[in-house]
Amino acid sequence: MARPTRSVVDESLSSPAQTRLHRIARLTEAWAWLAGVAFTLQLFFVGEGPARLVLVLLVPVVLASWWLRPDRDGWVVALVEGVVAHGAVFLLPSPHPVIGFLFAVTMRRALRGHAERYPLKAMPALLGYLSGFGVWVVVTPATVTGPLVVSVVMPLVGLAVGTLALHETARSARLLEDAHRTVEAVVLASPVGLVLLDASGAPQLHNERARQLLEWDAGAPGRVPCPHGPDISRCGDGCRSADDPVEVGVTRADGTTGVLAVHAVPVEHVSEQHTVVTALDVSKRREWEDALRTRAERDELTGLAGRTHFLHLVDEALRGGEAVGLLVLDLDGFKEVNDAEGHEAGDWYLVSAAERISRAIGPVATAARLGGDEFAVLAPGHDVRDSARLATRILSELARPLTGLGHETVMRASVGIAVSSPGAGTTELLRDADTAMYVAKREGGGRIRLFRPEMGERVLARQRDKADLRTAVSDGQLVLHYQPIVDLATSAVASAEALVRWQRPGYGLLGPGEFIGLAEETGLIVPLGSKVLAGACDQAMRWREQGRALGVTVNVSTRQLSAPAFLPSLDRVLKTTGLPPERLTIEVTESVWADGAAMRGLMDVRETGVRVALDDFGTGYSSLSYLQRYPFDVVKIDKSFTGALAETGRTAGVVRCIIDLAEVLGADTVAEGIETQAQADWLRNAGCAYAQGYLFGRPDLPENWEPHTSIA
């Protein structure tokens, strides 16, 4: 049966020093009362003269104050003690009873410890005795001898020294008691459990927090466990000498589990056989760490491995020495799904893709979400053929119809494959797989590509193109050429279309077809478009100052229109240059209809008075309902129609229908790609209002561009 132990709090209140102090206090009080009673009896029976009755009555007053107000007797009592000591010198035949009374008074006050009680309040009794002795010497004929003085003074010196020592002892004990109580308060409020173990590992002292944490029954403490067994004092794995705490799992009374951080430290200067153990509840911290670890290892949305954890797994697989296949997948068309259906639908789309990828690879590989709509698959032990088969299974699984969006959808993905070679690291393997995926996407998506070294060269070239284009936008390498737009009825130039060119060092002048796609891909289309718009408006105002009242047409991408800053930027350009809004035409393609934000931006632009042109009409997925709901000022007929006017009557009929439709909708028509006079004549006769093409002028710099006619 375990022997009972005391808590740390109980021990602080019952220390040996405190016990001794209490014993001394009781003995002193008993002796003081005995001396006081004896002094009273001596005054009553031995005292001489009628004044003795007064003193016999005063001494009980002093004793009553000791009883009723032991710690609060005031200066009145102290003065009464002085009067009694002074008078007793004359009334008693010997000074020794008085000295005994003085010892009782001063020792009581010294024991109380407070500065205002000792020595100040002890002084009246001592001074009363000394003054009484002095008067006694003067009024009596007795001869003052050395032994007489010594018999009077030496007890007083002993009294002063003894009471002073008692006072300092009591004060030190009181300070010690305050320190103990401070420790008691700290231990009581501490969230840390404290246990003192003896040589056998049995708890000698502990606080209440330790009992709670270690799930001990009240009054019956058990053992302190460790990770290696039920008793930390018998652990042979270094728990008692470890610099860091060890963690121990505990089961609480309610059935829940927790984790304690336990630290065992030998007690110095007490006994090498004793050990202090601290226990701290770290259950919450462990839960947070586990949650953070899970979040780091797993993608929160899909449950697949996260990027950091996945790269760690690739590192481990490469250290295994066998071939490692790495697949990088990017979902084709995810941005369109996310924009059209909303982010919640986009998240569901990603979760569905993750489930299908996991189902396709089974237990032989590990899938991860690297970010956005990019996934990866680690296939240890897979060579090129095995990796290609795995990629094929993934694409087949993704291609199964998906109906959760309210309509049937088919997922497509671009897959890049890289297989490890001797000495290859994780970074290189991931880079190669990503490069192959990028090539698959550039080739149209929905396909698998295995990395080849020449792919890396093309990707590096693409990266150089991106860096150079970024420099071109910021350093003024972009130049504007202008192509005239002619009024077919008068053969006069009505306006000009601004066409951007890139004067790339070492490559010459590049047309938009060689870099606009790159600008769209990198997001540089927005700052590039802003520069083109500002430059074109500024050029239109220069022509106006020269007497050429020409409008200007600027191509604007869907990405520009959907940006919230486009409309303020347009307004700022018009105000800065002073160009009237009706002299500016914003030209867009039919793809704008697929982007709700861009369509709203386009209609806001039209409200400012700026004209809106629909480019390449008839080549995409034109909808008459869109033309009816979102009116355009200009409809441009693509050159694929005008170039085939002379080939078939069907093409001519289509062009005539476009012209008639534009007239019904209140829009002007501009025919592009006119290279012959016959084409121009046919379009004029068909009612087409405007035309542009090499017949009227090639795109050129404004200083080399001379319109045929100035229009007032």
Side-chain angles (χ1 to χ4, degrees):
M1 179 177 178
R3 54 179 174 167
T5 64
R6 296 166 295 174
S7 72
V8 172
V9 176
D10 294 336
E11 180 64 16
S12 70
L13 294 176
S14 58
S15 64
Q18 294 299 316
T19 302
R20 294 190 185 97
L21 181 62
H22 292 161
R23 188 180 300 121
I24 292 172
R26 288 194 295 271
L27 291 174
T28 302
E29 290 285 347
W31 187 88
W33 276 92
L34 181 61
V37 172
F39 180 60
T40 304
L41 294 175
Q42 287 180 314
L43 284 173
F44 184 79
F45 290 106
V46 182
E48 301 175 351
R52 67 186 178 83
L53 296 177
V54 176
L55 296 184
V56 169
L57 294 176
L58 289 177
V59 174
V61 172
V62 174
L63 297 180
S65 71
W66 290 359
W67 176 263
L68 298 175
R69 299 167 61 88
D71 290 320
R72 293 180 293 173
D73 50 344
W75 281 100
V76 173
V77 175
L79 293 175
V80 171
E81 293 170 351
V83 171
V84 171
H86 181 85
V89 173
F90 297 97
L91 299 179
L92 294 174
S94 170
H96 295 95
V98 184
I99 293 175
F101 176 71
L102 293 180
F103 264 90
V105 170
T106 54
M107 287 182 68
R108 282 190 73 256
R109 297 192 184 281
L111 193 62
R112 300 298 172 181
H114 302 295
E116 73 275 5
R117 294 184 178 279
Y118 179 87
L120 294 180
K121 286 187 179 179
M123 293 302 294
L126 295 175
L127 293 176
Y129 173 75
L130 290 174
S131 64
F133 179 75
V135 173
W136 178 81
V137 171
V138 173
V139 300
T140 59
T143 302
V144 179
T145 63
L148 178 63
V149 173
V150 170
S151 67
V152 173
V153 174
M154 288 306 294
L156 295 182
V157 173
L159 173 63
V161 173
T163 54
L164 181 62
L166 181 62
H167 172 71
E168 290 299 324
T169 300
R171 193 166 67 90
S172 299
R174 194 163 285 108
L175 292 174
L176 179 61
E177 181 179 1
D178 291 341
H180 275 245
R181 292 190 180 278
T182 300
V183 172
E184 171 192 355
V186 171
V187 171
L188 190 62
S190 174
V192 178
L194 298 172
V195 183
L196 178 64
L197 302 177
D198 63 13
S200 65
Q204 297 299 296
L205 301 172
H206 69 278
N207 64 354
E208 181 65 17
R209 183 58 175 161
R211 188 189 66 78
Q212 295 173 354
L213 293 177
L214 295 169
E215 294 292 328
W216 288 343
D217 294 334
R223 296 284 178 169
V224 178
C226 71
H228 314 103
D231 191 343
I232 198 170
S233 65
R234 292 181 170 84
C235 179
D237 294 329
C239 282
R240 296 183 65 186
S241 60
D243 294 332
D244 298 322
V246 295
E247 293 190 350
V248 181
V250 293
T251 301
R252 304 186 182 98
D254 59 1
T256 60
T257 59
V259 180
L260 301 182
V262 179
H263 200 177
V265 182
V267 179
E268 297 180 1
H269 309 303
V270 177
S271 172
E272 293 183 359
Q273 301 300 319
H274 284 72
T275 304
V276 170
V277 176
T278 62
L280 180 65
D281 189 350
V282 294
S283 303
K284 288 294 184 183
R285 189 191 72 188
R286 172 57 67 86
E287 291 176 6
W288 294 336
E289 290 175 349
D290 290 344
L292 290 174
R293 187 179 300 107
T294 300
R295 180 171 295 182
E297 293 180 355
R298 294 288 166 186
D299 176 60
E300 191 172 358
L301 176 64
T302 63
L304 300 180
R307 184 183 187 92
T308 302
H309 181 55
F310 181 76
L311 295 181
H312 174 69
L313 295 178
V314 176
D315 284 337
E316 290 185 341
L318 290 175
R319 284 196 293 268
E322 61 180 350
V324 174
L326 182 64
L327 286 65
V328 173
L329 302 85
D330 191 87
L331 300 180
D332 299 332
F334 172 73
K335 182 179 183 303
E336 288 73 13
V337 173
N338 202 44
D339 293 344
E341 306 290 345
H343 292 296
E344 290 186 4
D347 288 347
W348 178 85
Y349 194 84
L350 292 174
V351 171
S352 300
E355 292 174 350
R356 295 187 174 200
I357 293 171
S358 299
R359 190 159 49 242
I361 64 176
V364 300
T366 301
R369 182 184 176 213
L370 300 183
D373 61 334
E374 189 174 17
F375 297 84
V377 174
L378 171 65
H382 283 52
D383 57 16
V384 172
R385 180 173 298 181
D386 295 334
S387 299
R389 289 173 179 169
L390 186 61
T392 302
R393 288 203 304 271
I394 293 173
L395 290 187
S396 299
E397 185 67 28
L398 290 175
R400 292 191 304 106
L402 186 68
T403 58
L405 297 175
H407 54 83
E408 189 172 285
T409 305
V410 176
M411 288 187 182
R412 298 171 73 250
S414 301
V415 184
I417 300 174
V419 177
S420 63
S421 57
T426 299
T427 302
E428 293 79 11
L429 191 64
L430 182 63
R431 180 197 61 201
D432 293 347
D434 193 65
T435 298
M437 182 276 294
Y438 177 77
V439 171
K441 186 168 285 290
R442 293 268 331 254
E443 293 179 355
R447 62 194 68 202
I448 302 166
R449 287 294 177 265
L450 175 67
F451 174 77
R452 296 190 302 275
E454 57 268 23
M455 288 181 178
E457 297 174 2
R458 290 202 297 268
V459 170
L460 288 175
R462 189 71 169 175
Q463 291 174 344
R464 285 194 299 269
D465 291 344
K466 292 178 182 179
D468 289 350
L469 181 58
R470 186 171 287 106
T471 301
V473 173
S474 60
D475 290 357
Q477 296 177 13
L478 301 175
V479 295
L480 289 180
H481 287 195
Y482 297 87
Q483 186 174 32
I485 299 176
V486 175
D487 185 337
L488 289 175
T490 63
S491 297
V493 176
S495 62
E497 180 176 1
L499 300 169
V500 66
R501 302 289 188 265
W502 179 8
Q503 189 67 54
R504 186 178 184 184
Y507 291 85
L509 192 65
L510 304 181
E514 298 184 61
F515 62 89
I516 289 298
L518 184 62
E520 290 275 7
E521 178 184 325
T522 58
L524 290 171
I525 191 65
V526 175
L528 186 154
S530 297
K531 286 184 174 292
V532 170
L533 181 62
C537 290
D538 183 67
Q539 182 59 50
M541 283 304 297
R542 291 182 186 176
W543 280 330
R544 187 178 181 86
E545 293 169 0
Q546 297 170 5
R548 301 173 179 175
L550 302 177
V552 65
T553 297
V554 178
N555 290 276
V556 175
S557 73
T558 300
R559 189 163 184 174
Q560 283 179 268
L561 282 171
S562 60
F566 178 74
L567 191 61
S569 175
L570 173 63
D571 183 64
R572 186 167 53 253
V573 167
L574 292 175
K575 289 180 179 178
T576 302
T577 60
L579 182 69
E582 63 274 10
R583 289 294 184 180
L584 174 64
T585 300
I586 296 297
E587 188 172 301
V588 298
T589 62
E590 293 173 2
S591 62
V592 73
W593 286 331
D595 191 318
M599 264 322 290
R600 289 190 295 273
L602 188 63
M603 292 302 100
D604 290 340
V605 167
R606 197 167 185 270
E607 290 295 323
T608 66
V610 173
R611 289 160 58 84
V612 176
L614 180 61
D615 193 19
D616 300 335
F617 180 77
T619 61
Y621 299 94
S622 301
S623 171
L624 297 181
S625 64
Y626 278 118
L627 285 174
Q628 185 177 6
R629 288 165 52 196
Y630 304 110
F632 288 81
D633 300 291
V634 178
V635 173
K636 301 191 76 172
I637 305 172
D638 187 69
K639 61 182 180 181
S640 62
F641 293 108
T642 58
L645 280 175
E647 297 178 4
T648 65
R650 177 176 296 180
T651 301
V654 171
V655 173
R656 195 181 301 276
C657 287
I658 295 174
I659 296 171
D660 293 341
L661 177 61
E663 183 179 357
V664 170
L665 296 174
D668 293 328
T669 50
V670 177
E672 296 181 302
I674 308 305
E675 298 183 357
T676 67
Q677 188 61 47
Q679 293 171 339
D681 293 340
W682 190 95
L683 290 166
R684 183 186 300 109
N685 294 332
C688 182
Y690 301 95
Q692 68 181 102
Y694 289 170
L695 176 64
F696 309 108
R698 292 176 176 271
D700 205 345
L701 294 169
E703 55 266 28
N704 301 329
W705 192 73
E706 290 293 337
H708 298 109
T709 308
S710 295
I711 301 177

